[in-house]
């Protein structure tokens, strides 16, 4: 439940770039923070709306890696810089003073249509699945309707730590098939407009929709013809290390690749071979009962494979 306490009654454990923007937004809205502790809640929504209004002038968001355009993004979040608030020893004046701890940076999570994944990005994904990925520099680029940069969120020495294949559902029809990528940066930096026009690759992407999929398990193909949904599939490689802030990736070591359970939906009438597979694997402990699987996306005629995992 939401608290009705004023901001003066709360202890804020961290201070971030986002907090700074919120404060600036309140100031530009005509409020003086220190003078309005009891009406802060009513001002916050208006101020945040004012801060976010500039987003209306941006129509496309793109991903750059090592200075080259990769693809446009469906969504992006994270990348914020922040620091824990560290209390200092109380002195003779009995005043609690505080200081910021080491700078830390949020992971950046982007969603990209499978059809828009350029070769360098797909190579980075493949490398992450096969071994510890190579760190890369890059940026999230916000542009106006003419592809002119409005602002940039630059990141450095970042590694790809998670790849999620978003759900494929026959009922969703024309929804684009997409991936969610988690990028773990050593540091981020928010920059203003460079005035440059984004150098967009002149390649027209194929239309790959979530509903046009085919799922098969080796040896169970006849039972897979009516699979109606494949839940999100997640491959994660955790960064391990004791350092924080900008040094956390310098001391990191390759983490183990962990893949999620693959969950599917199919008619009960087709489930018999899957029950038998379960019996072989779990109840009978049969060696060699593992099976490979394949998720494919097809063209509108359902005859040509456009992408597969």
């Amino acid at each position: 439940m939401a608290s009705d306490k004023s901001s003066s009654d709360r202890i804020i454990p961290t201070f971030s770039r986002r907090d700074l923007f919120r404060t600036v937004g309140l100031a530009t809205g005509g409020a003086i923070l220190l003078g309005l502790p009891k009406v802060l809640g009513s001002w916050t929504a208006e101020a945040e709306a004012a801060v976010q209004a500039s987003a209306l002038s941006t129509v496309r968001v793109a991903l750059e890696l090592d200075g080259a355009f990769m693809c446009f993004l469906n969504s992006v979040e994270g990348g914020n810089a922040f620091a824990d608030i560290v209390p200092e020893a109380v002195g003779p004046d009995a005043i609690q003073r505080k200081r910021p701890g080491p700078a830390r940076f949020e992971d950046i999570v982007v969603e990209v249509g499978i059809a828009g994944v350029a070769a360098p990005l797909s190579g980075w994904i493949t490398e992450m699945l096969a071994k510890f990925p190579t760190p890369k520099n890059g940026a999230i680029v916000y542009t106006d309707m003419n592809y002119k940069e409005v602002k940039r969120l630059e990141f450095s020495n970042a590694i790809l730590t998670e790849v999620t294949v978003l759900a494929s559902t026959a009922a969703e029809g024309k929804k684009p098939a997409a991936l969610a990528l988690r990028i773990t940066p050593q540091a981020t930096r928010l920059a203003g407009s460079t005035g440059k026009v984004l150098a967009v690759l002149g390649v027209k992407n194929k239309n790959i929709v979530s509903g046009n999929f085919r799922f098969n398990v080796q040896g169970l193909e006849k039972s897979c013809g009516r699979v109606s949904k494949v839940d999100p599939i997640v491959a994660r490689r955790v960064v391990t290390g004791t350092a924080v802030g900008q040094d956390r990736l310098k001391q990191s070591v390759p983490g183990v690749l962990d893949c999620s359970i693959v969950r599917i939906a199919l008619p009960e009438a087709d489930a018999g071979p899957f029950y038998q597979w379960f019996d072989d694997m779990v109840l009978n402990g049969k060696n060699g009962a593992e099976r490979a699987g394949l998720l494919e996306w097809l063209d509108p005629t359902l005859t040509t494979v456009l992408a597969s995992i």
Side-chain angles (χ1 to χ4, degrees):
M1 297 180 61
S3 172
D4 58 358
K5 290 185 178 181
S6 71
S7 63
S8 60
D9 298 326
R10 300 171 187 157
I11 298 175
I12 303 175
T14 62
F15 185 81
S16 70
R17 184 187 290 141
R18 185 184 297 119
D19 297 319
L20 175 62
F21 291 159
R22 185 174 293 117
T23 303
V24 172
L26 285 164
T28 58
I32 301 174
L33 280 175
L34 295 179
L36 295 174
K38 297 300 180 184
V39 298
L40 182 61
S42 63
W43 277 92
T44 301
E46 297 177 17
E48 289 184 341
V51 173
Q52 295 169 3
S54 62
L56 297 177
S57 63
T58 62
V59 294
R60 302 302 294 269
V61 184
L63 173 66
E64 279 188 2
L65 288 180
D66 295 333
F69 170 82
M70 291 293 107
C71 58
F72 287 110
L73 303 175
N74 298 340
S75 65
V76 59
E77 62 182 37
N80 195 54
F82 65 99
D84 292 328
I85 301 299
V86 180
E88 296 183 341
V90 178
D93 56 4
I95 296 175
Q96 178 64 76
R97 292 177 171 82
K98 305 177 182 69
R99 59 179 176 81
R104 301 168 65 187
F105 303 91
E106 294 176 340
D107 289 352
I108 302 169
V109 180
V110 302
E111 181 183 312
V112 55
I114 290 177
V117 177
L121 179 56
S122 64
W124 202 28
I125 294 172
T126 301
E127 185 183 45
M128 177 268 186
L129 297 175
K131 59 181 181 179
F132 197 61
T134 302
K136 291 184 178 292
N137 299 326
I140 306 297
V141 182
Y142 299 80
T143 76
D144 63 15
M145 61 183 301
N146 297 314
Y147 302 109
K148 184 178 180 180
E149 290 186 9
V150 176
K151 66 176 181 179
R152 298 168 60 87
L153 175 65
E154 298 175 346
F155 55 86
S156 59
N157 198 33
I159 57 176
L160 185 60
T161 53
E162 186 175 289
V163 176
T164 300
V165 183
L166 300 185
S168 294
T169 306
E172 291 185 340
K174 302 302 181 182
K175 181 179 179 181
L179 302 174
L181 309 177
R182 180 176 294 274
I183 300 170
T184 301
Q186 179 179 319
T188 65
R189 173 180 175 270
L190 192 61
S193 173
T194 63
K196 296 180 180 179
V197 176
L198 192 65
V200 179
L201 295 176
V203 178
K204 187 176 181 180
N205 296 323
K206 297 178 180 179
N207 186 28
I208 303 179
V209 298
S210 173
N212 294 344
F213 75 91
R214 180 170 62 200
F215 180 85
N216 279 314
V217 174
Q218 184 181 24
L220 302 179
E221 290 84 358
K222 292 182 179 180
S223 299
C224 294
R226 294 194 291 172
V227 171
S228 60
K229 182 179 180 181
V230 181
D231 281 353
I233 303 172
V234 183
R236 181 182 297 110
R237 195 177 289 278
V238 179
V239 177
T240 59
T242 58
V244 297
Q246 295 193 28
D247 292 330
R248 64 174 177 155
L249 295 185
K250 293 179 182 178
Q251 299 181 22
S252 64
V253 296
V256 174
L257 180 68
D258 180 38
C259 296
S260 66
I261 294 173
V262 179
R263 293 182 170 88
I264 63 173
L266 75 164
E268 186 72 30
D270 299 338
F274 284 90
Y275 295 153
Q276 184 59 53
W277 186 22
F278 177 87
D279 290 348
D280 291 342
M281 288 284 296
V282 179
L283 302 183
N284 302 327
K286 184 178 179 181
N287 292 328
E290 294 87 354
R291 299 174 185 266
L294 185 64
L295 174 60
E296 301 172 307
W297 291 272
L298 310 173
D299 69 353
T301 67
L302 303 182
T303 56
T304 302
V305 177
L306 302 178
S308 64
I309 293 179

